[in-house]
């Protein structure tokens, strides 16, 4: 890398709360929680469940629950772009992921609230 080249970790500060959301979702065993992880699925709308879950957890934590608003945030919110490594799913993909994983997402969001209280974000 050149001197002026930034990597993914340079976009947000070390104390930015987005890093807590990243660590939280990374610590989860998604298959155990009921998320389907299929490495052989392919296509323009297929994203890893962990990235979509990070998008939803972060969005819900900041009051963004609309699939269309979450889609827009992937283009404008620097912390969110960092969190999801620059993916830009459309609102249909986000909505479908939520619909297909409703029970598991609810469980994750409940755990996230407890986690945020424990570390002082709430």
């Amino acid at each position: 890398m050149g001197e002026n080249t930034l990597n993914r970790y340079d976009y947000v500060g070390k104390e930015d709360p987005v890093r807590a959301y990243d660590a939280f979702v990374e610590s989860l065993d998604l298959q155990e929680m009921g998320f389907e992880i299929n490495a052989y699925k392919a296509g323009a709308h297929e994203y890893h469940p962990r990235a979509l879950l990070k998008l939803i957890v972060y969005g819900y934590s900041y009051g963004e629950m609309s699939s269309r608003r979450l889609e827009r945030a992937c283009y404008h919110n620097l912390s969110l772009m960092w969190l999801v490594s620059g993916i830009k799913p459309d609102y249909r993909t986000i909505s479908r992921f939520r619909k297909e994983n409703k029970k598991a997402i609810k469980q994750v969001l409940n755990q996230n609230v407890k986690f945020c209280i424990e570390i002082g974000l709430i």
Side-chain angles (χ1 to χ4, degrees):
M1 280 193 191
E3 236 177 86
N4 295 327
T5 305
L6 292 174
N7 67 34
R8 174 180 179 251
Y9 296 101
D10 294 330
Y11 287 104
V12 298
K14 292 186 187 312
E15 299 299 318
D16 192 308
V18 73
R19 291 181 183 270
Y21 296 105
D22 185 51
F24 169 72
V25 175
E26 287 294 328
S27 74
L28 299 174
D29 183 338
L30 298 187
Q31 285 183 309
E32 184 179 290
M33 298 187 84
F35 290 94
E36 180 185 340
I37 299 177
N38 185 347
Y40 299 106
K41 273 187 156 181
H45 66 280
E46 292 299 331
Y47 298 98
H48 195 282
R50 192 171 304 279
L52 292 172
L53 185 58
K54 287 178 182 183
L55 171 65
I56 289 170
V57 167
Y58 184 82
Y60 273 55
S61 296
Y62 286 93
E64 291 294 343
M65 295 176 230
S66 157
S67 296
R68 290 178 191 263
R69 286 186 180 165
L70 289 172
E71 175 188 13
R72 273 194 303 275
C74 288
Y75 288 87
H76 302 290
N77 182 316
L78 190 57
S79 293
L80 182 59
M81 292 185 323
W82 176 89
L83 181 63
V84 299
S85 300
I87 67 168
K88 293 177 174 55
D90 65 19
Y91 72 91
R92 289 180 190 97
T93 301
I94 297 166
S95 180
R96 183 177 53 249
F97 177 76
R98 279 201 293 217
K99 187 176 183 181
E100 292 173 355
N101 299 287
K102 191 173 189 169
K103 184 178 178 182
I105 290 171
K106 184 176 182 178
Q107 182 182 359
V108 168
L109 291 172
N110 287 333
Q111 286 182 9
N112 183 60
V113 169
K114 291 174 188 171
F115 173 74
C116 288
I117 289 171
E118 286 175 17
I119 65 168
L121 284 178
I122 296 178

